[in-house]
Amino acid sequence: MVTRLALDTVIKQALEEDIRQGDITSDILIDESADATAHISAKEDFILAGSLVAARVFEIIDPDIRIRTFFNDGDSVRSGDTIITLDGGLRNILAGERVALNFLARLCGIATMTRRYVEAVKGSGVKIYDTRKTTPNLRYMEKEAVIAGGGYNHRFGLYDGILIKDNHVKYCGGVAKAVFEAKKHRMNYVKIEVEVKSLAQVREAITAGADIIMLDNMPPDTVKEALAIVGGKAVTEVSGGVTMENVADYAKRSPDFISVGALTHSARAVDISLLIE
Amino acid sequence: MVTRLALDTVIKQALEEDIRQGDITSDILIDESADATAHISAKEDFILAGSLVAARVFEIIDPDIRIRTFFNDGDSVRSGDTIITLDGGLRNILAGERVALNFLARLCGIATMTRRYVEAVKGSGVKIYDTRKTTPNLRYMEKEAVIAGGGYNHRFGLYDGILIKDNHVKYCGGVAKAVFEAKKHRMNYVKIEVEVKSLAQVREAITAGADIIMLDNMPPDTVKEALAIVGGKAVTEVSGGVTMENVADYAKRSPDFISVGALTHSARAVDISLLIE
Amino acid sequence: MVTRLALDTVIKQALEEDIRQGDITSDILIDESADATAHISAKEDFILAGSLVAARVFEIIDPDIRIRTFFNDGDSVRSGDTIITLDGGLRNILAGERVALNFLARLCGIATMTRRYVEAVKGSGVKIYDTRKTTPNLRYMEKEAVIAGGGYNHRFGLYDGILIKDNHVKYCGGVAKAVFEAKKHRMNYVKIEVEVKSLAQVREAITAGADIIMLDNMPPDTVKEALAIVGGKAVTEVSGGVTMENVADYAKRSPDFISVGALTHSARAVDISLLIE
Amino acid sequence: MVTRLALDTVIKQALEEDIRQGDITSDILIDESADATAHISAKEDFILAGSLVAARVFEIIDPDIRIRTFFNDGDSVRSGDTIITLDGGLRNILAGERVALNFLARLCGIATMTRRYVEAVKGSGVKIYDTRKTTPNLRYMEKEAVIAGGGYNHRFGLYDGILIKDNHVKYCGGVAKAVFEAKKHRMNYVKIEVEVKSLAQVREAITAGADIIMLDNMPPDTVKEALAIVGGKAVTEVSGGVTMENVADYAKRSPDFISVGALTHSARAVDISLLIE
Amino acid sequence: MVTRLALDTVIKQALEEDIRQGDITSDILIDESADATAHISAKEDFILAGSLVAARVFEIIDPDIRIRTFFNDGDSVRSGDTIITLDGGLRNILAGERVALNFLARLCGIATMTRRYVEAVKGSGVKIYDTRKTTPNLRYMEKEAVIAGGGYNHRFGLYDGILIKDNHVKYCGGVAKAVFEAKKHRMNYVKIEVEVKSLAQVREAITAGADIIMLDNMPPDTVKEALAIVGGKAVTEVSGGVTMENVADYAKRSPDFISVGALTHSARAVDISLLIE
Amino acid sequence: MVTRLALDTVIKQALEEDIRQGDITSDILIDESADATAHISAKEDFILAGSLVAARVFEIIDPDIRIRTFFNDGDSVRSGDTIITLDGGLRNILAGERVALNFLARLCGIATMTRRYVEAVKGSGVKIYDTRKTTPNLRYMEKEAVIAGGGYNHRFGLYDGILIKDNHVKYCGGVAKAVFEAKKHRMNYVKIEVEVKSLAQVREAITAGADIIMLDNMPPDTVKEALAIVGGKAVTEVSGGVTMENVADYAKRSPDFISVGALTHSARAVDISLLIE
């Protein structure tokens, strides 16, 4: 989904950040013409994401490195599995190692946490969504990792969806006023989502004709009542305070989807290494 | 430590990522001339980092927003504390909200985890260091967050330190050969660090005259033996497999410092919100 | 709506394109310290757009130029009216002249053509929309000029709306199949628009549950039949082959909106000049 | 004439503007591995320009798309003619469609209007020139389109030619003073052009030794008198108020060239489509 | 002459090159709030150039540094003279020191060598010109330094002047053929210069109507003969093999100007220091 | 040592600086399809450096130009030797000529001067180092040229080495205080260098435990005394006032290395030409 142009910019900046005037260790220890085979391998079990990003790091450093991948994004990888094998100039392989692993470990971490949430709600028909709580400048990649994990993407930015949040509601003087105001405007082709914090606000949102209602920080039982009020007249999203412990509980209430900020802001990196033969 | 120029580039890209053609929600709901006061507040206890980054986000969006900060990086912030207060155009405040919070929550998360490690080794005189396992393109900021947490910075990239790792050792045919080779070269003003995995390699490193020895993935007892071998003839670093559970144990052995990748690759974001009055 | 950051990039590139190593004429003829007052004036009647872009050109060249504007975007300007008055360094005013006028003349042209279409459908309640047929790299500005003219904005890019066009329909094997496929996917918060070319396709689109139906290149009478089929079950857009001559005829059929590519791809520039006192 | 480096920058920005995080319609409807053949075809008669720009758009998106072109810039294309055929990944072809067509339609529009002016003065030996009234950031491309149409390029910016305009004349206190001043300066290798508005100014310009005289906004009969005064002692340019209706009339007076701002600021886009087989 | 936009880009890159993640020495030794007064002083006699560049370095690093300049570009500075005084944050002053001095020392070196050539031809009326043999990416600045030294600028690039060189002549089959071909083309407003290496070629150039003739690598006596052949029918330039030793000899022959590549490619840096009070 | 990414940025900017909208001479004189063989040849004796930079210039302009190189960086080239032969499109070869030669002549100049210094200290075991007195934005290339000449690289910027200079010493209140302060800080893996100007300061530096001592602007005899004081307890650098005349004298005293700013700030360009067959 991410275009190659956008991807390359991020990767080139990351390489520049790490390498700059050169890898002074390899420059003095590794012969310029030395070739090697290197394996990028899992050191724990996880869901793969970002394998194309990691491969692209090496393509950008040196188009002559031969890259073989053995899994697709979304696959379950076991500790010990080789994910990518590289053949080519050893200096260039080592120059890209850290950047490639930093991307990969982070993106796999996101996919893995997403998969755990998806598994936790399995059978409920409820979808797991991400948020805009992503790492600055890595949003596209991270949202792709969410998809690799089996999740879905919420809006990409302030520009591609109307989401009326608490601060907007406060400014407009209420949920109904805010939704009415939004509907008056020039956005025939965009759905209107509104964040609500109480059952009273749910009723306002329905009356005002919101397309999507975000039930913010409500306990599962309140969510149940809210969904009864909505009665299928709008798409429903549960958001705020969702954890691995309570997500199944929320899913039982059958909202359309549940969004989880932690997928992108708090996933831990998985353990991956690069070793030469 | 980060220069304003480098900082601004990262922030501008992040704003462009989130805002692009505009905040379509605020554009239709908030009057262009509306002013407001907004508070960025802690929703849990944590160590502050990145407060200047967050402030700079709003300065870049709109130099007329008045920004007041109430804590310094490194301070302990309590749940409920107001960290930053903003006065100015409401549209612009909301336009910067998500980007500012994404930086802040991540950097405070790093500082907070760092502080926990620092506390865990308190009294031992051992320093906690970061690694290059940082988020691509956010390395400078993240390393500043480590300092805010009481930690120290390892090298910033491949360019500013010689670190002979396992792959180099394998290529050179041993620790001693690698260190000798490095010493022959043109880097009078750079120390030579070498990663070792066994006591035999520790001995090689000392004999070859390494300046710093990284004891990689050794259990605390092996570390103790290794330090005895080193006997003060080199700076010593413990690295690999360090966790909150075992860090104090390592510290008791008194290496010079312990480096922890998790500080930057696996800290969870802290909970922070922005609310208008 | 356009953020200052995005705007500045476009303006700086345009200044660099025109000025590069310097204005060799003014450099030899105008004293570095010479000040002047200059007026940007209309040489024909038109609708104003882009006045902030023009002003920003001079701010970027020289923050010390004093800029006074006498109209807002969307205002009717008469031949002879002064739009902007500049006081400051003459060299810098002349350095920005051509770039500022090139933006302004083009954007006013778009607003003026938009206003003519809007006037032509006045009273019908039908909205005039733009398309993605904009000048490469000026899309945000041009879409703002459409709003200044009284029009509305269609999607900004491939990224912020689902529009199933003829090539998609052909690939998917029909309108219904394409819409069903789209609905299956992960875009709860995005409406689904589909382009149809026949009444049969209109029926398919309605059955499949499209949110918006674009009636492409249909004569006004066919549009009337299509709208009867839709019967309010979807938002309707007329597109293709719309001209000043037939737009009123289309509007009489009461689709929700009519989109006109010519607004941005074929408006002629208006005549504007800059003269020093 | 435009270098590939400059061209690529403009194209990449335009693709980023249109595609950003991805083509959400094609991403859900078109299989990643689907291939197709697509034809870019004329839907009216026009003069071709920008064919290499359009081809480059697809090369940049995907180097594996096979591109065949059937005409050269400057050729007359008939409605129905296929200009370019593309074979390759369907997603990538559709991702580039709008950007490629936006460039092509605009540049062909410029070439077509230029050709009409060139035809209108055929046999007179008078050349048709463009101006700096180009689209910001597309100047090089647009000036190439003028050449494709049979026209010639005036200066590219403030940096590559001395053109003393009315504001300079006013500041310097007259045409003669301005030209003398310019001749005193350090530009042995640049010709000096001056804009004049009256026969008295023509005489001044000749006496002062201007290399090129721009006869600004003079009726054809005044141009005739002006040319008599010049008597071959300078190159002559007619500029201002030139239209398709009066250009032949001006050409009869035999100035060296006539410059027409409308070529680049007011040409309408031609109608071109991309269809898959 | 250089625009502020172009200048800032070069300076920011240079600061990023030198500072990157920070000045690790000053960060640990200088208190963040320490203020100081620093003087940039001459340690030998030279002609000043680049003083605005040096000042701009500090403005970019820290707009709060107060900058006082005591000379203008083109002034003679004596060893011991203070050129610029800075008051402000000591860390920021030291952060900019090396970059500012590197620009300044180089540009003063160019101005100083230029002045020596200008002095050497004093009274002859012959102008000293630079060439395109400048430092990559510093051309504008270096050409300004030439002007500060009393010299003149030749063309800025391949884009703003026609200069037919030996390789063109060889390809076209002779000087006359090349000049005729150039005159046929679409460049009414650009003069045509041709490089000649023999008196026969001078004659060809004159016959063909070249505007400027570059006498390449001719001994002074041959230049004299060449000028006699030209007889005022073209502007004349002496180029190639000009040194401080022979420039006066060339000037005696009275060509219009003499161009010297060494001004920009081989001037040595002058000695300048920055000291805090 | 320089990565291809960093190199390409500098080269593309340099090409854009020189070519911009195109090479107007070659565009009118050279047929677009004309091919040629061109030789880049030495017109004097020198040490080669930058040959990969020069080759890369042509690769970037046109990947179809065939490039053959006949020497490696560091080789001695004789006047008349062909360094690089190019086969391909003549227009593109000429478009890159000046930029390639400007890089090459400058870098060979640096290598050649470095080699002269290295030869002058031959047999002494003393190394010749560069400084940060490089051309802004060309530092990496220039430091590679120093290596080609047989020299060594000092730190690359403020970020990769601690060098306590006179201004730091003054601020800290003495050499000892400054070194102690630096040692307290968080830089276990960086050596600490301090600049001293007197024998008293040498003693302070040794007592405080500096890793490297820069003997600044001392006459050879004082250097001798200083080295006696150091007595092998620190690495020693001679810096300041070193010339071709006195460098051997300094080398006789056997410091570890001598740094020479002139290598990069005052080397004259060598004479190189490009001629087509």
Side-chain angles (χ1 to χ4, degrees), chain B residues 47-49 72-76 111 115 147-150:
Chain B
I47 303 302
L48 186 63
N72 293 317
D73 280 10
D75 286 354
S76 286
R115 182 65 54 91
I147 289 173

mmCIF file of all heavy atoms in Angstrom, chain B residues 47-49 72-76 111 115 147-150:
data_model
loop_
_atom_site.group_PDB
_atom_site.id
_atom_site.type_symbol
_atom_site.label_atom_id
_atom_site.label_comp_id
_atom_site.label_asym_id
_atom_site.label_seq_id
_atom_site.Cartn_x
_atom_site.Cartn_y
_atom_site.Cartn_z
ATOM 1 N N ILE B 47 8.378 10.052 33.820
ATOM 2 C CA ILE B 47 9.508 10.984 33.731
ATOM 3 C C ILE B 47 9.353 11.775 32.442
ATOM 4 O O ILE B 47 9.137 11.192 31.378
ATOM 5 C CB ILE B 47 10.849 10.214 33.709
ATOM 6 C CG1 ILE B 47 10.987 9.319 34.958
ATOM 7 C CG2 ILE B 47 12.040 11.180 33.581
ATOM 8 C CD1 ILE B 47 10.908 10.060 36.278
ATOM 9 N N LEU B 48 9.485 13.085 32.539
ATOM 10 C CA LEU B 48 9.276 13.932 31.368
ATOM 11 C C LEU B 48 10.489 13.915 30.424
ATOM 12 O O LEU B 48 11.632 13.994 30.858
ATOM 13 C CB LEU B 48 9.001 15.374 31.808
ATOM 14 C CG LEU B 48 8.631 16.344 30.679
ATOM 15 C CD1 LEU B 48 7.328 15.934 30.015
ATOM 16 C CD2 LEU B 48 8.520 17.762 31.204
ATOM 17 N N ALA B 49 10.196 13.842 29.135
ATOM 18 C CA ALA B 49 11.213 14.030 28.091
ATOM 19 C C ALA B 49 10.496 14.557 26.868
ATOM 20 O O ALA B 49 9.297 14.324 26.692
ATOM 21 C CB ALA B 49 11.919 12.714 27.773
ATOM 22 N N ASN B 72 10.775 20.542 33.599
ATOM 23 C CA ASN B 72 11.934 20.332 32.732
ATOM 24 C C ASN B 72 12.069 18.851 32.400
ATOM 25 O O ASN B 72 11.636 17.992 33.175
ATOM 26 C CB ASN B 72 13.218 20.785 33.433
ATOM 27 C CG ASN B 72 13.236 22.280 33.628
ATOM 28 O OD1 ASN B 72 12.877 23.036 32.733
ATOM 29 N ND2 ASN B 72 13.627 22.709 34.821
ATOM 30 N N ASP B 73 12.687 18.558 31.280
ATOM 31 C CA ASP B 73 12.967 17.165 30.952
ATOM 32 C C ASP B 73 13.754 16.539 32.103
ATOM 33 O O ASP B 73 14.689 17.144 32.630
ATOM 34 C CB ASP B 73 13.771 17.075 29.653
ATOM 35 C CG ASP B 73 12.871 17.231 28.438
ATOM 36 O OD1 ASP B 73 11.685 17.584 28.601
ATOM 37 O OD2 ASP B 73 13.346 16.970 27.323
ATOM 38 N N GLY B 74 13.370 15.345 32.474
ATOM 39 C CA GLY B 74 14.019 14.672 33.588
ATOM 40 C C GLY B 74 13.204 14.744 34.875
ATOM 41 O O GLY B 74 13.439 13.965 35.801
ATOM 42 N N ASP B 75 12.254 15.679 34.906
ATOM 43 C CA ASP B 75 11.415 15.790 36.108
ATOM 44 C C ASP B 75 10.429 14.629 36.197
ATOM 45 O O ASP B 75 9.997 14.081 35.184
ATOM 46 C CB ASP B 75 10.585 17.093 36.062
ATOM 47 C CG ASP B 75 11.436 18.321 36.334
ATOM 48 O OD1 ASP B 75 12.626 18.159 36.661
ATOM 49 O OD2 ASP B 75 10.917 19.443 36.187
ATOM 50 N N SER B 76 10.041 14.306 37.442
ATOM 51 C CA SER B 76 8.966 13.342 37.665
ATOM 52 C C SER B 76 7.640 14.078 37.569
ATOM 53 O O SER B 76 7.430 15.075 38.268
ATOM 54 C CB SER B 76 9.074 12.727 39.062
ATOM 55 O OG SER B 76 10.135 11.824 39.103
ATOM 56 N N ALA B 111 12.145 7.801 28.633
ATOM 57 C CA ALA B 111 12.760 8.360 29.837
ATOM 58 C C ALA B 111 12.315 7.597 31.079
ATOM 59 O O ALA B 111 13.104 7.358 32.004
ATOM 60 C CB ALA B 111 12.388 9.849 29.968
ATOM 61 N N ARG B 115 14.691 5.563 33.589
ATOM 62 C CA ARG B 115 14.758 5.885 35.013
ATOM 63 C C ARG B 115 14.583 4.624 35.870
ATOM 64 O O ARG B 115 15.234 4.462 36.901
ATOM 65 C CB ARG B 115 13.690 6.937 35.366
ATOM 66 C CG ARG B 115 13.667 7.413 36.823
ATOM 67 C CD ARG B 115 14.924 8.174 37.243
ATOM 68 N NE ARG B 115 15.232 9.285 36.388
ATOM 69 C CZ ARG B 115 14.796 10.540 36.580
ATOM 70 N NH1 ARG B 115 14.043 10.832 37.625
ATOM 71 N NH2 ARG B 115 15.123 11.492 35.726
ATOM 72 N N ILE B 147 18.906 10.398 28.234
ATOM 73 C CA ILE B 147 19.622 11.272 29.163
ATOM 74 C C ILE B 147 18.651 11.861 30.185
ATOM 75 O O ILE B 147 18.952 11.940 31.379
ATOM 76 C CB ILE B 147 20.377 12.367 28.391
ATOM 77 C CG1 ILE B 147 21.561 11.712 27.665
ATOM 78 C CG2 ILE B 147 20.856 13.488 29.312
ATOM 79 C CD1 ILE B 147 22.303 12.619 26.728
ATOM 80 N N ALA B 148 17.469 12.270 29.717
ATOM 81 C CA ALA B 148 16.462 12.789 30.657
ATOM 82 C C ALA B 148 16.134 11.751 31.725
ATOM 83 O O ALA B 148 15.866 12.093 32.876
ATOM 84 C CB ALA B 148 15.195 13.188 29.903
ATOM 85 N N GLY B 149 16.175 10.492 31.343
ATOM 86 C CA GLY B 149 15.878 9.429 32.293
ATOM 87 C C GLY B 149 17.044 9.104 33.213
ATOM 88 O O GLY B 149 16.912 8.298 34.128
ATOM 89 N N GLY B 150 18.211 9.707 32.958
ATOM 90 C CA GLY B 150 19.375 9.462 33.801
ATOM 91 C C GLY B 150 20.368 8.502 33.175
ATOM 92 O O GLY B 150 21.354 8.115 33.811
#
